[in-house]
Amino acid sequence: MSHVDIASGLHDDHREIRHRRLLFRCWHRGTQEIDLIFGTFAESAGSGLSTAQLDRFEALLDCDDTDLFDWVTGQSAPPPAHDHDVMHMLRSSHSDQTKG
């Protein structure tokens, strides 16, 4: 096995662990609405996010649930630091959930 294969395997393992932790955090936020919005999003899109997008998503999880709910549902605009592609993906995902 080459060093490249080992490094790739370690990267994949780290990414998988990070994704599982992210799923747990999303489904155990504390409010049912945010659990559902973020948990569903993490299950459907989480594994396809780039490393930078995962960083932005994890940063959102450090925010208050009330703020997150307002931002995702469009009741208020997120601050510039959180108005990015992942927030737009969350809004779109939530919009699709409420339509269906």
Side-chain angles (χ1 to χ4, degrees):
M1 185 176 280
S2 74
H3 293 298
V4 173
D5 293 337
I6 292 170
S8 177
L10 291 174
H11 176 72
D12 291 344
D13 289 345
H14 175 72
R15 187 168 176 79
E16 178 61 28
I17 290 167
R18 189 175 182 190
H19 186 246
R20 282 186 284 167
R21 285 183 182 157
L22 185 69
L23 281 170
F24 183 85
R25 285 184 72 192
C26 288
W27 282 113
H28 297 89
R29 296 284 307 164
T31 61
Q32 187 175 10
E33 295 85 359
I34 291 296
D35 286 358
L36 186 59
I37 292 168
F38 276 69
T40 302
F41 177 78
E43 284 184 358
S44 66
S47 63
L49 297 176
S50 70
T51 301
Q53 288 172 320
L54 282 172
D55 292 342
R56 289 190 289 277
F57 190 41
E58 288 173 337
L60 286 172
L61 295 176
D62 292 334
C63 298
D64 180 75
D65 282 359
T66 304
D67 291 335
L68 290 171
F69 184 80
D70 289 348
W71 300 340
V72 171
T73 60
Q75 294 180 35
S76 66
H82 296 301
D83 192 10
H84 45 59
D85 58 340
V86 177
M87 176 57 70
H88 296 253
M89 293 166 68
L90 276 159
R91 283 181 167 170
S92 178
S93 174
H94 175 68
S95 177
D96 291 346
Q97 288 174 20
T98 57
K99 289 179 187 172

